[in-house]
């Protein structure tokens, strides 16, 4: 009798039910009330979608479409300039401080992407889809402040406190320093300059004592002429006092320039004549010249011609 009842039930099931699986037939055999009935007699299982198609109340399972997996490969395999731009954008947003090398799979870059994704409320996977990469670059482009790339900077020692600068010297102090340096330089040259000048004075006095004869007149022709003119005027030469004008090394040896004050007398009349004697030390003296003390330009030109490097001034 049970078998006949089953056959009767099957006869009333719509044609679409014939396509049901053997498992469903067995379920109907065990519990006829659970099977779908024409005209809506019984409900379909919860896992099944509502019946579609003609005639009766039967139905079949409809599967939901699966969402596509996120596309991370496109960004990871993008051209090197695009990957470097992503790192630069992360740096601009203060998420990344590593090298700009285009390696989006380095630990530092992955962490930077994760931090950016967390801040946006996205899943922090550490990789970017093309849409996320576009959004990241756009966000960085809106950021006005750009951080300096440390890979292009040279390491420098930490800056210490700025040392206090000495106060600028006054003109009076600067002059004192200059005078002190000149005094030191002159002190070193003074013995040689003094010796050369005293040797000249001895020769001048000997020339006067010999009444116009001697090496002073032979070497300094202008002095010999001055002496002859003075003697012709009836004046006698008295005191001879030197003052060193300059001393130093020249291209041909040690150069000396000395002012010599010569006193002349005639009766009760006393006069003084200032002459500058310049020469290069040697025996005999080289390039000897005599100038009036007023002929400053002539004296300085002689020094320049000798390439004098003063140790006196």
């Amino acid at each position: 009798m049970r078998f006949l009842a089953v056959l009767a039930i099957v006869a009333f099931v719509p044609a679409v039910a014939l396509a049901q699986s053997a498992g469903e037939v067995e379920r109907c055999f065990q519990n006829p009330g659970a099977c779908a009935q024409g005209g809506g007699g019984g409900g379909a299982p919860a896992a099944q979608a509502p019946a579609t198609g003609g005639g009766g109340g039967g139905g079949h399972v409809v599967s939901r479409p699966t969402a596509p997996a996120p596309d991370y490969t496109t960004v990871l395999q993008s051209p090197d300039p695009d990957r470097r731009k992503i790192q630069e954008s992360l740096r601009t947003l203060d998420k990344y401080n590593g090298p700009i090398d285009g390696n989006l799979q380095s630990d530092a870059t992955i962490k930077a992407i994760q931090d950016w994704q967390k801040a946006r409320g996205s899943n922090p996977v550490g990789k970017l889809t093309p849409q996320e990469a576009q959004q990241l670059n756009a966000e960085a482009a809106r950021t006005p402040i750009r951080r300096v790339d440390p890979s292009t900077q040279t390491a420098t020692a930490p800056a210490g406190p700025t040392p206090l600068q000495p106060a600028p010297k006054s003109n009076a102090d600067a002059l004192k320093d200059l005078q002190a340096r000149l005094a030191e330089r002159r002190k070193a040259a003074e013995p040689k300059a003094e010796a050369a000048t005293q040797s000249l004075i001895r020769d001048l006095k000997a020339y006067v004592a010999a009444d116009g004869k001697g090496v002073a007149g032979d070497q300094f022709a202008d002095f010999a002429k001055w002496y002859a003119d003075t003697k012709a005027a009836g004046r006698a030469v008295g005191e001879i006092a030197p003052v060193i004008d300059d001393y130093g090394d020249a291209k041909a040896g040690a150069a000396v320039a000395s002012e010599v004050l010569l006193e002349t007398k005639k009766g009760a009349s006393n006069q003084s004549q200032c002459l500058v004697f310049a020469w290069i030390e040697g025996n005999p003296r080289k390039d000897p010249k005599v100038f009036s003390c007023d002929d400053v330009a002539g004296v300085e030109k002689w020094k320049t011609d000798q390439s004098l490097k003063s140790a006196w001034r």
Side-chain angles (χ1 to χ4, degrees):
M1 293 298 292
R2 177 182 292 184
F3 179 71
L4 292 176
V6 171
L7 290 178
I9 293 171
V10 172
F12 286 96
V13 174
V16 67
L18 295 176
Q20 292 178 332
S21 65
E24 290 174 330
V25 173
E26 178 64 21
R27 180 174 56 81
C28 289
F29 178 79
Q30 296 292 334
N31 186 6
C35 291
Q37 300 295 327
Q48 292 180 339
T52 60
H60 61 279
V61 177
V62 179
S63 61
R64 294 182 179 178
T66 304
D71 176 17
Y72 300 121
T73 305
T74 298
V75 175
L76 291 175
Q77 296 182 357
S78 61
D80 184 70
D82 294 345
R83 288 182 274 118
R84 289 175 181 266
K85 182 173 179 58
I86 289 173
Q87 290 178 317
E88 290 173 354
S89 295
L90 290 168
R91 172 169 291 158
T92 298
L93 297 174
D94 204 21
K95 303 294 184 185
Y96 178 69
N97 199 32
I100 305 299
D101 55 8
N103 182 9
L104 299 183
Q105 300 185 67
S106 67
D107 292 342
T109 306
I110 290 174
K111 183 180 183 304
I113 294 174
Q114 288 175 333
D115 291 344
W116 179 75
Q117 289 171 328
K118 287 178 183 178
R120 300 176 74 247
S122 303
N123 186 20
V125 296
K127 295 180 287 188
L128 297 171
T129 64
Q131 183 180 6
E132 287 179 318
Q134 184 179 7
Q135 293 169 348
L136 170 65
N137 291 334
E139 183 179 340
R142 294 191 298 268
T143 303
I145 300 175
R146 304 286 176 175
R147 301 179 69 218
V148 177
D149 183 359
S151 65
T152 64
Q153 306 301 308
T154 55
T156 56
T162 303
L164 296 176
Q165 299 296 327
K169 293 183 178 180
S170 65
N171 291 338
D173 290 338
L175 179 60
K176 289 180 181 179
D177 289 345
L178 177 61
Q179 291 173 338
R181 290 195 299 271
L182 290 175
E184 287 296 323
R185 188 164 58 185
R186 179 178 295 186
K187 184 177 180 181
E190 189 170 10
K192 294 180 180 180
E194 187 68 28
T197 299
Q198 290 302 324
S199 176
L200 170 70
I201 297 304
R202 285 194 296 270
D203 289 345
L204 294 178
K205 288 181 176 181
Y207 185 83
V208 172
D211 196 19
K213 295 179 182 179
V215 295
D218 296 339
Q219 294 176 1
F220 296 96
D222 288 339
F223 171 70
K225 182 178 182 304
W226 174 85
Y227 179 78
D229 292 344
T230 299
K231 184 178 179 181
R235 305 191 69 83
V237 178
E239 291 292 327
I240 301 176
V243 175
I244 299 172
D245 174 71
D246 208 345
Y247 179 87
D249 292 331
K251 60 185 178 182
V256 188
S258 182
E259 293 182 0
V260 177
L261 188 64
L262 300 118
E263 184 183 67
T264 62
K265 299 179 181 179
K266 184 179 181 180
S269 173
N270 292 337
Q271 295 181 355
S272 295
Q273 176 70 46
C274 182
L275 299 176
V276 175
F277 290 77
W279 70 95
I280 302 297
E281 276 286 83
N283 190 16
R285 299 177 180 92
K286 293 175 285 186
D287 198 15
K289 299 289 181 181
V290 177
F291 305 90
S292 167
C293 288
D294 296 333
D295 188 8
V296 176
V299 176
E300 294 303 319
K301 183 179 183 304
W302 181 87
K303 295 178 185 179
T304 300
D305 293 341
Q306 303 302 323
S307 300
L308 173 62
K309 296 179 180 179
S310 178
W312 197 259
R313 296 184 174 187

